[in-house]
Amino acid sequence: MGPTAGKKRVLDESSSTPKAKKSKVDDGLKKRKSSVSEKPLQAASNLVTEEVDFPRGGGTSFTPLEVKAIRAEALKEANDQLFEDKKDAQLKRTRRKSEAKAGKKADKSTKTDTIRVEHLNYKRISPGMKIFGEIVSVQPLALVVSLPNQLFAHVPITNITTELTTRLEEMDEEMDKSEQSDVGSDDDEELSHVPDLIELFRPGQYVRAIVSAVHPSGASDAIGIGRTRDEVQKASRRVELSLIPEKINQNISKADLKTGFTFSASVKSVEDHGYILNTGIPNVSGFLSFKEAEKNPQYQGRKLPIGALLEVSVSKMSNNGRTCTVSVEPTLLTSASLSEVSNVGSLLPGTLVSGLVTAILPSGLNLQVVGYFSGTVDHLHLPPGDIDDHFKMGQKVKARILYDISPATPPRFALSLADHVVSLTSKHVPGPGDAQDGPSLHDAYPVGTTLESVKVVRVESERGLIVEVSANVEGFVHISQTSDDHVPTLSANSGPWKIGTIHRARVTGYFPFDGLLQLSMRPSVLDQKFLQVGEVQVGEVMKGTVKKLTDSALFVSISGNVDAVIWPNHYADIQLKHPQKRFKPGGSIKCRVLVVDPQRKRVVLTAKKSLIDSPHPIIAKIEDAQVGMVTHAVVFKSSDKSVHVEFYNNLKAVVPGKEASETAIGSLPEAFPAGKVVQIRVLSVDAQTGRVLASIRQASPNYKSAIMDISDVEIGNTVEGVIAEVQKDKVAITLQPTQVRALLSLNNLANRRGVTVGQLRSSLRVGQKLQDLVVTSRNPEKGFVLVATKPKEAQSVIQKGLTIDSIQLGQVITGRVLRHVRQGALVKVGSHITGLLHPTDTGDDYEEAKPFPDIGSAVEAAVIAIDKEKKQLTLSTRRSRMHPDQANAIVDEEVNSLDVLNPGSFVRGFIKSVAEHGLYVTLGRGIDARVQIKELFDDFVKDWKSRFSANQLVKGRILSVDPEKKQIEMTFRSSESKAAGPSIQITDLSEGDKVDGIVKKIEDYGLFIEIEGSKLRGLCHKSELSDNKEADVTMALRSFREGDRVKARVLSVDLEKRRISLGLKPSYFDEGDVASDEEDEESSHAGAEPLGVVENENSDDEDHDGRMDEDKGEEDDDEEADNGMDIDEETVKVDLTVPSAFAPSSSKASHNGEEGTTLQLDSGFQWSIDQAQEASEASSSEDDDDVAQPGKKKKRRKQIEQDLTAEMHTKAPESNADFERLLLGSPNSSYLWIQYMSFQLQLSEVDKAREIAKRALKTINFREEQEKLNVWIALLNLENVYGTDESLETTFKDAARHNDSKTVHLRMAAIFDQSEKFEKAEEQYKRTCKKFGHSSKVWTLFAEHYFKRGLPDDARKLLPRSLQSLEKRKHLKTISKFAQLEYKLGDAERGKTIFEGIVDSHPKRWDLWSIYIDMEAAQGDIASVRNLFNRVLALKMTSHKAKSFFKKWLELERRIGDEEGASKVKEKAIEWTQRAAQSS
């Protein structure tokens, strides 16, 4: 709409007769009337189609309801016009002088143009209304906003900005993805961060909003506002607002985007020089530079997040009108005002506009806004005082728009002239300077403040009173808060609340936007002691009224709406068995305030008489605790070493065991049970940590203080003394001549003298004199002193005057080893300078160096790096570093980067840690290599961890280097190093050549042999195995196994088909071949150095010298978290939850090859095979030498078969062949199959383990259901650890189809529980309950899952759900199971209550009585057990059943009772027998 159109519309409508207030009509009628009135003139030809509303015959297209509404509206307008003159005459006679004065200034025409000033209420608020508000509080998921006229609303987190909502949705999607995959980068984490509302908004901030929904009174489904006791939050539920700029700014005209125009915008993206903003205006984007953002103190020093909502002011528009440069400077936002607009849609709530006073009314002002539009100002938003003294007709003012009055034609606005709204600040009480210097309303008048005299200044007959509290401070009293009686209406001229009367009132809240106090004059409110929790004082003794008693607490009303709670352990000084007899609803109770928590709005009381009547001071905060103070406290936890007590306001203290009593106590938990009141004396207070140390022993009135005066002893003094007592780890010394008792550590003295602690303890004698002691600590309150030996040597080693700036690279310095850390030895160089000596920097030859020098030893090292910020040096004791000008033999080069490491190169290092999946070897500073289990040995070794320890020197070959991930893979295996030599090609072979090989595959027709040193394979037909034509070649084939080493002769080579024929007949070889082969083996291995642990003569000494402190070994288990390398999931060990041992037994084969092995593994061959062949000459049990002695070949192979068969009964399988042989004999054994799977997992062969499981399921007989189930469970465990969610789900479904479905469902949930995937376990239990809701076991296991996770409330909710699904006959069983879970994992009192209900309704269920008794016996409460036995034996039962109960009772008395109780049981049994005999 253009300016001229706007003017013409206003003039036309102002000259017409004023319209009366519209009645509420149907929405369809509103749309039709507006379309008719707003339709522009058109050509005559078009009018023909528009005449449907005026047909001939007087008909109409309106419905009867619409016609009736139109007639009613016309009749009301006529009546208003007809009786207007009469009403004006009556007003003239009755109006006041002030009204007469105002009436004289306005003529009759003006009077008819005045607009009635109306208050905003919930009925007048409608969706689509734009409104201005002030943030009261910021909740996690919503904003609570104060609106004009004492109203409140809320803004859900999804109605802030479009960008914030999008980020919330993306975060939800990312969380779903993260559950499927844990892999993520830092950038992803940064993008997924969504700012909290407290980061975007602050209380007191003004916002422009649009109403999105209005809920009926009492609605509780507000988004973002949960259940709360706060009255303001409850009131805010009715109106739901939106701050989204697209909704608020959609009608702003581009022509109005001039300098100074203010509106709301959201951060859309962050660019190089500033922020791109979403203005919400079509085809217009905003830009805010970083420099401009810094001008607002609220945004200084921080980056604005995407989705943040900003209040901005236009600086300039681009030439194309698409980009608007804005500013956030506070002064511009506050002072910018509008004097003209081209479109009414540009008048937003919160905009400061120029106005002209057109009428002064008793209820407020009428204004003309920006020359075109009408507006009203109610008296709540006018400056305090007489309205006629502040404003005159025609006066120009600046007011801020509050909301648009809807529906209104032409548009009208409600505005505010209140100082705090115009200046966009919170209401303050006037101070010495101006209103902003004083405190805020909250601080000046806290809730609960009683005001002795408030003056009524304005009366609204149906709403309430406006009262004057002080200068420039007013309050509002709602009509319901004027009296305890019902008040239908208020009068300004008469009655107790007329204008000018003085009353007492009490502050009950605030209306921040209006700047008013919320007051109450009701006598019941004035007489209340507390209005809110914050007013309650800790330690105050008061009387309350019992409101309700539950199983878990007692609720007490202490004043008005303020309730308090008393926990069961504070019901009395002793434990009450029947609290319901003492606490009855409505009864009075005397108690003391124990805890006040204003944030949670909770008050905790105690009814313990010893605390209520205690004359001792109250300790409610750490500042109240003074050393030496005696007071009462309550025990809340006891252990074998200490007693933990609690003061007021949850302040806790610790009483050491030795301070618990003067006499020896057997068990502290028994002597000091939870809930016991004790008298303590405060020994020490640490205000920083909040730790209080107390004593029960010293609080006794008979205690005599033995604290000595140690004022003559100062820290740092050199003293001497005489040994008074030699203890386990310290010495008590009497210092001379002060006679002060001091303690000296035996470790300290032993290090000083260079002996062990045991030797030192045996040499010390009482009365022996010790000199050169230094005071290191003193405690005057406790009267003890700690001393240590004077460190003479340490002073001489450390260089004086050494600073971090004076040290140069390459400089040789001296220091002392302080301690051992993960990265090496920490060396003290100067007073504030330390150095780090890495194990690889200790020497040029690692075999001669100590990776960790002795603690306390002096070292001389060269500086190779300086960190001035941390004041730390990197040191090296290599001779090549300390003496670079000399010729030094370097055996182990420095590894400073990954570039010097190449695949295939050999390198030495020290073992950093031994993990579950292998070793980590440190090769240099910050450079570690991983050695997987499969790369440790050539053969399988089960107990491999015992072969390695931290700080061992090892040698290995580099397999791969990944510079990007900084990952290095290393191996100790020797088999691949041999293969790394020159490879044999097929062209190198000729007929008659004799080669070494390994059996790779066995078929019915022969053997496939891989030639050593190549990847060539040849076939040895079964006819080429033996010279004896009558021999059984099938038996000969069976004697071979995959992985056997053989010597073969090349029979033929087919180059075209690339086929090689081999022969193994003994006649093909002679003794010379074997001898030459052995010589070659010896020569080839003579120069080869073994990989793995480097053995040397001083290995034992080095292990002792290089041993680190105890903490080092514990930390090494998690070393993979520090070395920066990813861990393969394949190498993680898994427990497949089989009833028996899963992993195979350790191999008896010797790693160094000195003993022959009878079982070769398919994982590789031993590099020391030559020694095994030598040993084979003296042993007939070796099969590696069957080629070397062809004459005895057949005999020896038969012997091998016999040995293997006999040995398998006592030796665990160690290879695939072993497992296959065992499975041939026991194909239905799930134990063997699962062992086989575990064997493959230890070799990181996950796929092979899966294949074995599938083979097992096909092989095991279908009748062996349990065996098959065991394999399925093992496969589920495997997929849970190594597989994906998809593979696990597929396996689970297959298992459920092939086995009992309920069993598989429950085992799946248990697997998730064992692997600590609690969310998945909960989901699985829900699936199981949905499918098998008729099973009691399913519900009880689900409840047990919740209890073990610490979610008792969720577990208890399952009981009523289960009873709805289960058959009635299973109800009692299920209820009993839940009660047992309460006893074991939940609340024993709740379990007791459930059992009481069971035995009350089913007194003849002896089995449930027995379970009830067992549960109580487990609690150790013999009195309760006796009570139950007396009750059950009072029932009529058979003598056989009574005998079992008496027997059980007697057993429990002997176990948890006493002899007296046991004798009484015997007497009762006799009495019962006699009574039963008499009755029969």
Side-chain angles (χ1 to χ4, degrees), residues 1348-1472:
K1348 288 182 178 179
R1349 285 183 58 191
L1351 301 172
D1353 292 337
D1354 292 336
R1356 289 160 187 156
K1357 291 177 183 177
L1358 293 178
L1359 181 56
R1361 286 177 52 194
S1362 65
L1363 297 181
Q1364 294 176 0
S1365 303
L1366 294 171
E1367 298 178 21
K1368 194 170 183 179
R1369 62 185 179 84
K1370 296 184 179 181
H1371 285 193
L1372 200 59
K1373 171 186 174 184
T1374 307
I1375 295 172
S1376 171
K1377 289 287 186 182
F1378 272 81
Q1380 294 176 54
L1381 289 175
E1382 289 284 1
Y1383 267 106
K1384 297 174 183 177
L1385 303 171
D1387 184 1
E1389 285 296 325
R1390 188 181 290 269
K1392 186 174 183 179
T1393 304
I1394 298 174
F1395 265 119
E1396 284 293 338
I1398 293 175
V1399 298
D1400 184 54
S1401 58
H1402 299 79
K1404 296 294 185 178
R1405 285 293 300 269
W1406 312 121
D1407 55 334
L1408 297 179
W1409 276 103
S1410 183
I1411 295 173
Y1412 188 9
I1413 292 170
D1414 289 338
M1415 292 295 104
E1416 283 295 315
Q1419 302 298 313
D1421 189 357
I1422 188 63
S1424 178
V1425 173
R1426 289 167 180 166
N1427 181 36
L1428 289 177
F1429 274 116
N1430 286 326
R1431 287 169 57 189
V1432 71
L1433 290 169
L1435 301 174
K1436 188 176 181 180
M1437 64 179 72
T1438 63
S1439 58
H1440 176 73
K1441 181 57 64 177
K1443 179 180 178 181
S1444 65
F1445 274 117
F1446 276 117
K1447 185 177 180 181
K1448 185 176 191 137
W1449 191 357
L1450 184 61
E1451 180 186 349
L1452 290 176
E1453 285 287 354
R1454 290 171 177 170
R1455 182 157 56 89
I1456 62 175
D1458 49 26
E1459 290 298 328
E1460 183 180 356
S1463 61
K1464 287 184 178 180
V1465 172
K1466 296 176 182 177
E1467 294 174 2
K1468 287 180 180 293
I1470 296 172
E1471 292 176 3
W1472 192 94

Side-chain angles (χ1 to χ4, degrees), residues 772-841:
D772 294 333
L773 304 176
V774 179
V775 178
T776 59
S777 177
R778 59 192 293 271
N779 191 323
E781 289 80 10
K782 295 184 179 179
F784 73 85
V785 175
L786 297 181
V787 296
T789 57
K790 196 172 183 179
K792 293 182 179 179
E793 296 180 1
Q795 306 251 342
S796 61
V797 172
I798 299 175
Q799 302 177 21
K800 297 181 179 180
L802 200 63
T803 64
I804 195 71
D805 296 325
S806 63
I807 298 176
Q808 303 294 327
L809 290 176
Q811 179 179 345
V812 178
I813 58 177
T814 306
R816 184 175 297 278
V817 178
L818 289 179
R819 60 180 178 274
H820 296 154
V821 295
R822 283 189 175 189
Q823 293 79 13
L826 192 65
V827 181
K828 185 174 183 180
V829 178
S831 57
H832 299 288
I833 305 173
T834 57
L836 191 63
L837 180 60
H838 196 268
T840 59
D841 289 322

Side-chain angles (χ1 to χ4, degrees), residues 270-288:
V270 183
E271 305 301 333
D272 294 338
H273 302 289
Y275 305 96
I276 300 298
L277 306 182
N278 177 11
T279 63
I281 305 170
N283 301 322
V284 177
S285 63
F287 176 75
L288 174 66

